Amino acid sequence: MNGIWYYVIAFLIIWTISIVFKDKLTDYGVEVSFPLLMWKTQRLRGFIDRLANKAPRFWRGYMNVGIAISTGFMILMAVALVYSLKFLMDTPTVSLIVPGVEVPGSPIFIPLLSGLIALATVLVVHEFSHGILARVEKINLKSIGLLLFAIIPGAFVEPDEEELSELSRPAKMRIYVAGSMANLTLAAIALVIMLAISSFVMPVVFEDDGVVINRLTEDGNAIDHLSEGMKIESINNATISDMTSFEETARTLKPNDTVNIQTDQGTYSFQLKSNPQNKSIGYMGVQVQTNSIISEGFDNQFYTPLLWALMPLSNLFFWIYFLNFAVGTFNLLPMKPLDGGHLFENLLSYIMPEVAYKPIVTFMSFFMGIIIVVSLVVGLVGVPV
């Protein structure tokens, strides 16, 4: 079943229960006001307080460094987004990423289960970090909770806005960058673990045996001929022995040509389309992964079934890294209401009066927003002919 239907069913159930039992759910901190659904709680404030009080000097020092790192990423992301306009018609840079759903215009497909777990880590560490730094600065937290805006899930920590507005600029900026710094830190940790598993453990336990199809996209013709799990042995008589040979051969394919693919289950031919990311290259709609087999020394052991968990575990840490890095850096764009917009505003306040920097922040927010929306639309519906 297409991943989008899991979301449709889940959201229908959630909203039906929320609307039918609206009055009763209020007693449990649930607020229902379509399209906004919020669950607020006070229970986690004690946990956040304990984390904040254990090492307040560490948190302040860490986020002082975080201000410098976040400022660098803010500039880099803004420049990259503006530069992407050069390639907008050929390769839209911004695209939606939904676990388990093939989004038109997005070259990335995130598996449903590992994607949802990774997305949960993004929300938890981001919002908890905002809360920890708010408590380090002695700002009261009104509530903590989860939200659903129509079909968009999220989490939040609600600080006292009046108290927040009275803080010094460095204290405010520490709070603003805390979420993205937590995401970037978790991304780095997940990347190290993933590389340790994939680069040091798996090469010892597994041997490479060609490539196998792990996904067929709906925008290619291969889906009508091939099946997931097939081992690709050759493409147009070019032997496919590993990922490198597959990628090199795929780059030689041309749109509208007929490709011949030999697999372990037969030979198939079909016409190629244009690659959505590079229209000069032929597109099969095939994603592959290394076909790994257990090394002889680890085969037929009592622990052999456990070794097969290494690959999904490595993939899970990859998606934790990817989503935390992607969301953490995107959130640093100099546009409100993102944290990067608040950071940008506070940085400008050091060198110019409010009457000067407010219009700049407003313009940047509007400009960045337009680029993102246009890139999303181009990715989803294509370039008008």
Side-chain angles (χ1 to χ4, degrees), residues 99 111-123 316 319-320 323-324:
L112 181 63
L113 181 58
S114 54
L116 290 176
I117 294 173
L119 187 58
T121 68
V122 173
L123 297 175
L316 173 60
W319 291 118
I320 291 175
L323 283 179
N324 274 275

Side-chain angles (χ1 to χ4, degrees), residues 74-137:
M74 180 185 70
I75 296 171
L76 181 63
M77 290 296 293
V79 171
L81 188 62
V82 173
Y83 186 71
S84 72
L85 289 172
K86 182 178 180 180
F87 309 99
L88 181 61
M89 296 299 105
D90 297 320
T91 310
T93 302
V94 181
S95 63
L96 294 174
I97 298 176
V98 185
V101 177
E102 184 177 319
V103 179
S106 175
I108 300 167
F109 176 80
I110 303 177
L112 181 63
L113 181 58
S114 54
L116 290 176
I117 294 173
L119 187 58
T121 68
V122 173
L123 297 175
V124 170
V125 301
H126 188 101
E127 295 304 330
F128 267 57
S129 295
H130 280 310
I132 290 170
L133 266 295
R135 293 303 298 136
V136 166
E137 303 298 342

Side-chain angles (χ1 to χ4, degrees), residues 44-54 135 141:
L44 295 173
R45 290 194 303 178
F47 175 68
I48 291 178
D49 281 347
R50 287 193 294 273
L51 290 176
N53 294 331
K54 277 188 175 182
R135 293 303 298 136
L141 301 180

